[in-house]
Amino acid sequence: MINRNELVAFLIRAKQKTYAGHGAEVEPSRLASHDLRYEEGPLLYIDTFLGGAKFAGEEAVWLDRVPLWSMNYYGRVIGEPFSGDFLKAALYEVPVDKPFRGPEHFEQGDYTYNCQCSGDFEWFQGYEDISYKGQKIYELHFHGGVIV
């Protein structure tokens, strides 16, 4: 059994070791998917997504091969110059109180990241966007929660 604080701490480490931390992709689990994986003992995290400029994906956590938590997302680049490195920098700052995507607000140079969400770790939904010099260039919707 794992408590919520341990699960959240693992989820944050996993996010920072995979996509947000420029982690290497592993063997794809589906045709044309991009998969990232992180394990600690009996805990497993997988982030898998399809696409590029328009993409859909899922993050999930298992304990002893039993799914505990999942989040689905769909995003798209709607302007230039989009920076994947900026998105990763924002996502690296995942907050403990809302360990879904990035912080409420993050800035670096001419880029601004914003994330709004409702709910809690057990049941949540949200939206994030990136602007470059005040012009929105990226957006993403996400939702998820605990699996029983």
Side-chain angles (χ1 to χ4, degrees), residues 88-117:
K88 289 176 182 181
L91 297 179
Y92 195 87
E93 300 301 321
V94 58
V96 172
D97 62 330
K98 294 181 181 175
F100 318 126
R101 298 291 291 172
E104 251 180 61
H105 186 80
F106 180 81
E107 289 185 43
Q108 193 174 71
D110 291 326
Y111 290 92
T112 303
Y113 169 93
N114 290 297
C115 183
Q116 305 87 39
C117 60

Side-chain angles (χ1 to χ4, degrees), residues 73-146:
Y73 55 86
Y74 181 81
R76 64 186 184 154
V77 174
I78 55 177
E80 293 298 332
F82 176 75
S83 170
D85 287 340
F86 172 75
L87 175 59
K88 289 176 182 181
L91 297 179
Y92 195 87
E93 300 301 321
V94 58
V96 172
D97 62 330
K98 294 181 181 175
F100 318 126
R101 298 291 291 172
E104 251 180 61
H105 186 80
F106 180 81
E107 289 185 43
Q108 193 174 71
D110 291 326
Y111 290 92
T112 303
Y113 169 93
N114 290 297
C115 183
Q116 305 87 39
C117 60
S118 60
D120 60 21
F121 189 71
E122 305 226 350
W123 175 265
F124 62 89
Q125 60 187 351
Y127 173 81
E128 71 184 18
D129 63 51
I130 294 174
S131 296
Y132 178 76
K133 294 184 177 180
Q135 184 78 18
K136 187 178 355 175
I137 60 169
Y138 160 91
E139 61 186 352
L140 177 137
H141 291 272
F142 60 92
H143 64 270
V146 170

Side-chain angles (χ1 to χ4, degrees), residues 29-42:
S29 59
R30 302 170 292 162
L31 293 175
S33 71
H34 304 272
D35 290 27
L36 298 112
R37 182 182 177 117
Y38 180 75
E39 290 183 75
E40 282 182 11

